[in-house]
Amino acid sequence: MIGPDWWPGRRRIVAMAGVALWIVAPMPAIADPQHAIAMHGKPALGPDFAHLPYVQPDAPKGGRVTLGSKGAFDSVNPFIIKGVSVGNVRGWVVESLLARSADEPFTLYGLIAERMTVPDDRSEITFHLNEAARFSDGKPITSADVVFSYELLKRQGPPYMRSHYGKVANVEAPDAKTVRFVFNDGADREIPLILGLMPILPKHATDADAFAKTTLKPMIGSGPYVIDKVDAPQSITFKRNPDYWARDLPIRRGLFNVDEIKIDYYRDATTLFEAFKTGAVDVRFENDPVRWAEGYDFRAARDGKVVRETAATGLPAGMNALVFNTRKPLFKDQSVRRALNLLFDFQWINKSLYNGQFARTESFFARSKLSANATAASEQERAWLAAHAARVKPAVMEGAAKQPVGAGTGQDRKRFRDAIALFKDAGWTIKSGKLVNADSGAPFRFEFLARSKEQERLMLSFKGTLQRLGIGVDIRQVDNSQYWTRLKTFDFDMIMWRWSASLSPGNEQIARWTSKYADVDGSLNFAGVKNEGVDALVGKMLAARDRDEFRDAVRAFDRLLISGDYVIPLFHAPGIWLAHWSRIKKPDRAPLSGTDINTWWVDDARTAK
């Protein structure tokens, strides 16, 4: 891009689809710049707030924390499709224009952009950059870096970024500290916030030609940490930048208190847990209910050196599920998917594998008011769903649907009979103890692609049930790299996946569920959903102007996904299972999300590991 000094008069250079065009783009009369923007309603904190309400603003700085992760990595760049990257780079090293509060559904406060100007229809947004904003190498952040980041990520970023940034009609930078984005239409009220979360990369230190390739070269950003050491695939170390430009801003006060954070990678969950027990890893978010119930009876835990808690969270549980790849002929017929769901005996698996500690997931937004479960559709929902009524099960519309409930024995004969009837409707029959295609005689057999022994254990239990009906299941566990490669190209029959959820679902749902991304490599539409109703309801979510309209749109969207039998919903924990060594300290007040590790600090003087 040509810099702002080249622009005569009122004419601007505008980036449109990656091409520089001369156009006349007068700045419209809009409201005064604001310090924050909320998806719905108003920001909870006013322009004079001193710090986030869930931090300890005077938390001590210093110390070292070691985190553990299962798997490996071969790249530090989390903004590309290739490779397995270190996700912590975003936020710790590379920052966005705005910063999110973990205490609100979706509110962003000024960071690199200290103020923003947005009209009521949200057809555009202008970011006013903080004069003090700097990259870790001392170079100032300018509008040229913002435009560069936008253009680079739109071309070479992951599919969801290309989708989001593709909604920008043009971008202009009238001076070194101002960037204006104008959108294609006003139907997506979330897109200004999405642009606010765009990671800002240094134009002077980023090779655009090599950007899409995996790299272990430390990235330069403007965040509170710098990458100190990369030892792939075993570990990566971040060091707090003492010259971090935003350390005294209200949005950052009390955050990022640890001087050094190391992430060690382990091949399996057992080894990772043993590392935690010995103190080689300081913090653990537990996801195994049996281990949570029985595995913490070790000396350090008994002596109080390890602290355990179940943190309450106000966020939805998300959808943890067995996912059908409906691109595969075997799973195209919904009757087949319904039959397999009937055969999944949650009560038995929960009791035999998980000590009965999980709750069955009934919604893509379970544990929140956005869930359509146990709630009849509103008049607005019914109006929106009228054109797609054939795709919504009546019980789901009335809020009366429940996932199948059996005897909890793994041998529910009634469910077997009902499943056989569904298979018959889809053209399958049992011959000589095998489920086969009634016309071709081909056996019903599929592969489950596992990422871990825990997933393999779950599927082995389900496989035992399926074998009773003559269904063949091949369980294949592959290494981390191969697993992600196959997922990105949809090279699987069934996987286990968890889609996280927030209280403000929006643009991320496009790459997860819409027809446009069903066949785009690297998208999260693993199920291959192509449903016009789903596409339409995502649009309704993005266009909603108030919380009630938004809630109805999300619930109608939820009803369509549940009715489609695209997944076999699994289970969720009642809260966040968290364990950490007692030298790690946390503020007394937790955010809406339940916990935020960036608010913690180390007290080595009081408690030795």
Side-chain angles (χ1 to χ4, degrees):
M1 290 291 292
I2 298 176
D5 293 341
W6 288 75
W7 302 348
R10 292 176 59 194
R11 297 172 68 84
R12 312 268 202 270
I13 288 185
V14 180
M16 187 173 185
V19 180
L21 301 176
W22 288 100
I23 70 169
V24 176
M27 296 286 283
I30 315 177
D32 293 334
Q34 56 199 63
H35 74 294
I37 180 172
M39 183 61 199
H40 300 105
K42 296 181 179 180
L45 305 176
D48 58 349
F49 79 98
H51 56 81
L52 292 166
Y54 53 88
V55 306
Q56 181 168 314
D58 59 350
K61 308 289 186 183
R64 173 177 176 171
V65 168
T66 302
L67 307 177
S69 180
K70 190 173 73 67
F73 71 98
D74 59 11
S75 177
V76 299
N77 187 351
F79 310 115
I80 59 174
I81 295 177
K82 292 183 179 179
V84 181
S85 65
V86 181
N88 309 74
V89 169
R90 182 169 188 171
W92 286 356
V93 176
V94 179
E95 291 183 311
S96 303
L97 291 161
L98 309 178
R100 190 167 189 162
S101 167
D103 213 36
E104 301 173 59
F106 193 9
T107 299
L108 301 179
Y109 292 85
L111 183 59
I112 292 176
E114 62 180 347
R115 292 286 188 272
M116 67 225 74
T117 307
V118 192
D120 181 66
D121 64 2
R122 296 193 179 179
S123 59
E124 63 177 79
I125 186 168
T126 299
F127 295 104
H128 309 280
L129 307 189
N130 192 314
E131 292 287 346
R134 296 285 187 278
F135 292 109
S136 60
D137 61 1
K139 300 287 186 181
I141 302 175
T142 70
S143 55
D145 296 301
V146 177
V147 174
F148 170 79
S149 300
Y150 157 74
E151 292 178 334
L152 181 64
L153 295 170
K154 180 182 176 182
R155 292 195 311 269
Q156 301 188 52
Y160 73 90
M161 284 188 176
R162 298 177 200 173
S163 171
H164 300 340
Y165 305 157
K167 295 183 179 183
V168 175
N170 52 63
V171 56
E172 62 180 36
D175 58 55
K177 291 295 181 178
T178 308
V179 185
R180 176 191 177 207
F181 292 91
V182 180
F183 308 121
N184 290 321
D185 57 59
D188 184 348
R189 293 183 59 79
E190 187 184 39
I191 199 63
L193 285 81
I194 295 296
L195 265 294
L197 289 176
M198 180 174 64
I200 304 304
L201 304 166
K203 182 178 180 180
H204 68 276
T206 304
D207 184 348
D209 293 333
F211 185 73
K213 300 177 182 178
T214 59
T215 180
L216 295 174
K217 180 182 178 181
M219 299 184 73
I220 292 176
S222 62
Y225 290 92
V226 296
I227 298 175
D228 181 59
K229 184 178 181 182
V230 179
D231 186 14
Q234 290 89 7
S235 69
I236 183 170
T237 303
F238 300 85
K239 278 196 173 181
R240 189 167 60 87
N241 181 4
D243 300 319
Y244 175 44
W245 72 275
R247 61 185 180 276
D248 295 323
L249 292 183
I251 192 64
R252 289 309 200 209
R253 193 167 295 139
L255 295 173
F256 312 116
N257 303 309
V258 181
D259 274 354
E260 182 177 301
I261 304 176
K262 182 182 181 185
I263 304 176
D264 285 330
Y265 287 78
Y266 295 83
R267 295 182 63 87
D268 59 77
T270 300
T271 307
L272 175 54
F273 182 58
E274 290 302 316
F276 173 74
K277 288 167 64 176
T278 64
V281 171
D282 293 303
V283 180
R284 180 174 179 81
F285 290 91
E286 186 61 74
N287 57 14
D288 185 332
V290 176
R291 185 182 290 122
W292 185 248
E294 303 174 357
Y296 285 79
D297 186 19
F298 54 93
R299 183 173 179 177
R302 291 193 298 268
D303 292 348
K305 292 183 178 181
V306 166
V307 179
R308 285 202 310 156
E309 62 179 284
T310 299
T313 176
L315 300 183
M319 175 55 75
N320 184 30
L322 300 178
V323 185
F324 298 108
N325 187 348
T326 63
R327 304 170 188 84
K328 303 287 186 176
L330 195 64
F331 294 142
K332 280 189 177 294
D333 195 307
Q334 187 172 353
S335 293
V336 167
R337 305 196 299 267
R338 287 180 60 198
L340 290 170
N341 193 10
L342 269 176
L343 294 173
F344 185 81
D345 193 335
F346 164 74
Q347 286 73 25
W348 177 66
I349 287 177
N350 192 32
K351 179 175 61 177
S352 60
L353 295 185
Y354 306 121
N355 280 14
Q357 294 196 59
F358 281 139
R360 186 73 190 268
T361 300
E362 301 279 357
S363 161
F364 283 78
F365 305 96
R367 207 172 58 193
S368 81
K369 293 182 179 180
L370 297 177
S371 170
N373 180 246
T375 303
S378 67
E379 290 185 10
Q380 179 63 80
E381 288 181 71
R382 293 176 193 274
W384 283 335
L385 292 170
H388 316 286
R391 292 181 177 267
V392 184
K393 297 175 183 177
V396 174
M397 186 71 86
E398 299 306 323
K402 287 286 185 183
Q403 292 301 319
V405 176
T409 63
Q411 304 181 49
D412 192 317
R413 294 185 180 275
K414 182 181 183 307
R415 292 169 77 173
F416 284 3
R417 289 194 299 269
D418 292 344
I420 291 171
L422 287 168
F423 279 124
K424 185 178 180 180
D425 290 342
W428 298 88
T429 187
I430 296 178
K431 289 184 179 179
S432 302
K434 300 293 184 182
L435 186 66
V436 298
N437 187 278
D439 295 328
S440 68
F444 191 104
R445 192 174 198 91
F446 66 92
E447 179 186 82
F448 176 78
L449 185 65
R451 185 187 179 194
S452 65
K453 290 182 179 179
E454 291 76 21
Q455 292 185 1
E456 184 179 27
R457 182 178 62 164
L458 169 67
M459 200 61 195
L460 280 170
S461 296
F462 189 25
K463 177 179 179 178
T465 301
L466 298 178
Q467 286 177 327
R468 297 177 186 277
L469 266 67
I471 296 173
V473 182
D474 300 313
I475 302 174
R476 184 177 182 190
Q477 184 178 345
V478 297
D479 63 50
N480 206 50
S481 177
Q482 186 178 356
Y483 178 82
W484 288 111
T485 298
R486 290 187 59 177
L487 255 63
K488 289 173 181 178
T489 57
F490 310 120
D491 181 20
F492 61 86
D493 296 330
M494 178 184 283
I495 59 170
M496 181 176 171
W497 185 260
R498 180 181 178 273
W499 289 277
S500 60
S502 74
L503 291 171
S504 186
N507 270 277
E508 77 281 357
Q509 306 301 322
I510 297 174
R512 293 180 180 186
W513 302 111
T514 65
S515 306
K516 181 180 179 180
Y517 283 87
D519 299 314
V520 176
D521 287 355
S523 83
L524 298 181
N525 190 346
F526 296 125
V529 175
K530 294 181 179 180
N531 183 320
E532 292 179 357
V534 169
D535 299 343
L537 265 300
V538 171
K540 297 297 184 185
M541 283 193 283
L542 297 176
R545 296 183 70 92
D546 60 56
R547 197 69 191 171
D548 289 343
E549 183 183 5
F550 176 72
R551 180 201 60 217
D552 284 349
V554 176
R555 287 180 177 176
F557 172 76
D558 193 23
R559 294 182 204 278
L560 278 167
L561 288 182
I562 288 293
S563 295
D565 294 299
Y566 302 113
V567 303
I568 299 177
L570 294 178
F571 34 69
H572 58 270
I576 300 171
W577 291 327
L578 169 65
H580 61 85
W581 284 76
S582 59
R583 58 192 286 272
I584 308 292
K585 304 300 179 182
K586 304 193 284 86
D588 293 334
R589 184 198 185 289
L592 177 67
S593 61
T595 189
D596 183 351
I597 195 171
N598 293 317
T599 67
W600 301 0
W601 65 91
V602 178
D603 186 356
D604 282 316
R606 293 180 53 190
T607 307
K609 188 165 58 172

